[in-house]
Amino acid sequence: MALAEEEAKKALEEGEVPVGCVMVRGGVVIARGHNKTNERMDATRHAEMVAIDSLVEEGGDNLWAQQLLAGCTLYVTCEPCIMCASALAMLGLERAVFGCCNDKFGGNGSVMCMHESDSQLRAVGFASYQVRAGVHEQEAIELFKKFYARENSKAPVPKR
Amino acid sequence: MPPSSRAEGRAHGGLPTEQEAMERVDLRIKVEDLELMPVLCASVKPKNASKMIEILSKNLPIPELRYLKRMRKRNDAAAKSGGKAEPELVAIIAPPDIFSRQVLSHSMATLETETQDLIKQYCDSMFEEEVPSFAPNTREQFDSWSKIWPLNYRPPAGGMKVLLGFSQEEIERMKAYMRRATALAVEAVKAGDGAAAAVIVDPTSGEVQGEGVDVAMSGPLCSPEIPSGAQRNDDARKKRHPLHHAAMCAIQKVAAMQRESQLVNVTSKRKMLLQQVDSSDGSRDETVETAQKDLVNEGPYLCTGFDIYLTYEPCPMCAMALVHSRLRRKSLNHHYEVYKGLLAEEVKESITSAFSTT
């Protein structure tokens, strides 16, 4: 989780919304990423997607959807949004661990539960994965506070 | 009766038009013509009005007619010419499906005696009145139907504008973009990719801003990072990506194009600024830096206000990506309008035949 926070700090330094993540398999960090939506002018460049892209970039033979994140644990500072949570379900992630909740777009319990795929979603390639919330929650929130204090003094402090 | 089932029951003469074939997905309602149905009513003296309203809403609620006010002033000519000092009121007693006095008296048997007595006073003079048989979908319908019976109006989530109110010209334009998406899908199928294709359009200029096909499941792919117009068969950049669904590719193509145009903008303006600053005595770095910051805020923001045409319904990941990218933003809550069924048969046929010839 500390490594994910390091990534989030990089995003903060780059003027991005501070979210960072690492993917771990068998005790080894296999990918890391931080939010790049402003830099890439692309609202889909969330930390998780950036990390996934780096894995795809490395190639390998595991590009078949359900294998890419098999046996992996994702550590991310903020709850994955519905888009990222869906992507993780399609890539066969084993476990997601996150800091604070994403009340607006959260896909791991706050708004939707993309990690609990029903039969309809399983039929189109979505798998289920475990979720653990609230790990280093305060640290993640502090980062958001710093970002909003800098970007917009009027912006409300993110909830929880 | 819910509006959808009524829509199915309504007979159309001839083939449906595109307007009817295309359906707004999020609201599942159509703009329909006024239909009337009879309800059982009774006259109520104004002094009893509030007591009657209380009894009716407590003991004989009609939730399916919530769009109708329970009571209105009598406005027929007979009442006016009667010259009464106080105008009578008309209350809706029962909906059409318990439209018999036997049923009504049966349901009344469960009420308190006092309430029964009060309603019985009116039962002898009960009569039928015609009221709109479903809630208005638009402000216009609300205004005109209210003359028949006063209505309660809750605007639909999409606002008060007429739904599916596209002109024939707009429909033709939309069809052209959908055909473009279909052509992309056919091409993709022939190349061994998926049959989902997406086209993102700026509706104000009519220009296509980005396109993509589904390269997630099979076949080599053209990376979305390649700027539009670049060679498609550049083998070195071809790559499969499990998340590169059509909509994701199209969004990333738009981003790539916007990055490129921003780069061009910044470089050219920077040159211009440097010349300006050099000729004056201003602090060079500071001026250029501020100007560059302003430049970043210029130009389109993501896909705000753009439309996307898809051959297939987007998966949850893509649907959320469309929300993030602000396609046809409706409000700060990032809503977008969804329509389905445009050229559905044509798309299906083209893709099926592409599969069978591959």
Side-chain angles (χ1 to χ4, degrees):
Chain A
M1 205 55 172
L3 290 173
E5 281 156 34
E6 257 176 42
E7 285 293 321
K9 279 174 195 155
K10 283 187 207 165
L12 186 67
E13 280 160 24
E14 292 164 13
E16 303 275 359
V17 174
V19 181
C21 75
V22 290
M23 308 264 190
V24 178
R25 182 189 276 141
V28 180
V29 174
I30 58 164
R32 42 179 83 208
H34 59 269
N35 190 20
K36 285 181 184 288
T37 50
N38 289 337
E39 182 202 314
R40 306 293 291 167
M41 302 175 83
D42 180 346
T44 68
R45 294 304 95 201
H46 290 180
E48 300 92 322
M49 302 299 261
V50 171
I52 290 167
D53 273 5
S54 78
L55 279 177
V56 174
E57 198 65 35
E58 284 169 21
D61 299 323
N62 286 339
L63 285 184
W64 289 106
Q66 282 298 327
Q67 293 162 28
L68 191 72
L69 298 180
C72 277
T73 300
L74 163 76
Y75 295 88
V76 58
T77 54
C78 178
E79 178 185 356
C81 76
I82 295 166
M83 172 187 71
C84 293
S86 304
L88 297 168
M90 284 190 277
L91 300 178
L93 183 78
E94 189 170 304
R95 205 156 73 111
V97 178
F98 62 82
C100 61
C101 289
N102 179 345
D103 290 345
K104 229 169 151 188
F105 299 122
N108 285 156
S110 292
V111 182
M112 290 179 85
C113 291
M114 299 315 301
H115 57 286
E116 292 168 357
S117 297
D118 58 13
S119 57
Q120 215 182 340
L121 280 173
R122 280 199 298 275
V124 291
F126 284 66
S128 296
Y129 52 92
Q130 303 161 33
V131 165
R132 190 167 164 209
V135 178
H136 286 211
E137 187 180 8
Q138 279 314 311
E139 288 85 339
I141 293 174
E142 281 309 311
L143 283 165
F144 278 123
K145 280 184 184 165
K146 271 187 198 161
F147 173 78
Y148 286 109
R150 187 189 300 177
E151 287 296 305
N152 179 357
S153 53
K154 285 177 189 160
V157 175
K159 284 177 217 157
R160 288 199 290 147
Chain B
M1 206 195 308
S4 58
S5 60
R6 191 172 34 250
E8 281 154 24
R10 201 166 55 133
H12 285 293
L15 290 167
T17 66
E18 274 89 12
Q19 291 247 10
E20 284 159 350
M22 193 163 67
E23 190 182 325
R24 183 162 166 173
V25 173
D26 48 354
L27 294 175
R28 289 189 192 85
I29 52 174
K30 294 180 179 182
V31 177
E32 293 175 81
D33 295 335
L34 172 67
E35 279 175 26
L36 293 173
M37 64 174 181
V39 288
L40 203 53
C41 292
S43 292
V44 177
K45 292 206 161 54
K47 62 172 182 178
N48 296 332
S50 56
K51 178 72 182 163
M52 195 65 184
I53 286 276
E54 197 190 315
I55 291 170
L56 289 175
S57 58
K58 196 175 146 206
N59 300 303
L60 289 169
I62 320 175
E64 65 270 31
L65 298 184
R66 257 185 310 222
Y67 59 93
L68 298 170
K69 294 219 188 286
R70 199 67 196 253
M71 218 177 263
R72 73 161 167 83
K73 282 182 187 154
R74 177 181 284 281
N75 59 358
D76 56 56
K80 278 173 201 161
S81 61
K84 285 175 193 164
E86 277 186 313
E88 291 246 312
L89 296 166
V90 179
I92 298 173
I93 304 295
D97 52 347
I98 54 165
F99 194 69
S100 76
R101 286 166 201 228
Q102 286 84 354
V103 177
L104 184 63
S105 55
H106 176 74
S107 68
M108 270 175 53
T110 62
L111 304 178
E112 293 162 32
T113 336
E114 190 196 357
T115 316
Q116 277 190 34
D117 290 345
L118 240 164
I119 291 182
K120 267 181 196 153
Q121 287 176 22
Y122 298 102
C123 275
D124 292 337
S125 61
M126 268 196 243
F127 50 89
E128 288 177 22
E129 284 241 0
E130 297 261 282
V131 297
S133 64
F134 53 92
N137 291 326
T138 65
R139 184 83 222 178
E140 290 73 20
Q141 288 181 336
F142 169 74
D143 289 340
S144 100
W145 298 1
S146 288
K147 289 170 195 151
I148 300 160
W149 189 276
L151 303 172
N152 297 312
Y153 185 52
R154 283 175 200 81
M160 285 183 176
K161 67 175 196 153
V162 176
L163 308 173
L164 282 187
F166 298 115
S167 67
Q168 199 51 43
E169 204 188 335
E170 282 170 304
I171 296 264
E172 287 307 319
R173 268 202 298 272
M174 292 161 83
K175 274 157 76 176
Y177 294 125
M178 188 53 100
R179 290 206 171 99
R180 182 167 174 147
T182 311
L184 277 173
V186 167
E187 206 183 305
V189 167
K190 286 179 177 162
D193 291 327
V199 173
I200 294 178
V201 179
D202 178 356
T204 54
S205 70
E207 275 171 34
V208 171
Q209 303 289 316
E211 296 174 329
V213 296
D214 177 14
V215 286
M217 304 310 287
S218 61
L221 77 96
C222 164
S223 161
E225 296 298 311
I226 299 175
S228 54
Q231 277 188 345
R232 230 189 110 86
N233 48 6
D234 181 351
D235 281 340
R237 304 188 76 162
K238 276 188 175 181
K239 201 166 199 187
R240 204 173 57 199
H241 190 308
L243 298 182
H244 281 178
H245 294 180
M248 297 297 281
C249 289
I251 289 170
Q252 289 179 37
K253 208 67 166 281
V254 172
M257 208 174 90
Q258 290 180 352
R259 286 198 302 273
E260 205 179 313
S261 75
Q262 194 204 27
L263 197 70
V264 173
N265 260 335
V266 171
T267 333
S268 67
K269 287 231 177 149
R270 188 160 207 266
K271 253 187 212 161
M272 222 171 67
L273 278 164
L274 283 175
Q275 283 166 356
Q276 282 173 8
V277 174
D278 281 346
S279 55
S280 71
D281 288 335
S283 141
R284 183 174 156 150
D285 289 343
E286 209 176 290
T287 318
V288 174
E289 207 173 281
T290 341
Q292 256 177 343
K293 252 188 202 155
D294 290 344
L295 273 173
V296 173
N297 293 327
E298 264 178 31
Y301 177 61
L302 305 172
C303 300
T304 306
F306 293 173
D307 293 337
I308 187 164
Y309 295 83
L310 298 147
T311 54
Y312 283 90
E313 181 182 357
C315 79
M317 173 185 71
C318 293
M320 192 64 211
L322 299 179
V323 177
H324 282 319
S325 299
R326 319 291 207 269
L327 274 104
R328 268 287 161 125
R329 188 178 67 166
K330 288 287 300 168
S331 70
L332 282 175
N333 292 326
H334 312 172
H335 291 161
Y336 57 91
E337 294 172 10
V338 180
Y339 300 91
K340 74 169 183 185
L342 178 67
L343 293 177
E345 285 309 310
E346 194 177 318
V347 172
K348 218 188 276 175
E349 265 171 40
S350 305
I351 289 171
T352 315
S353 73
F355 268 121
S356 62
T357 55
T358 311

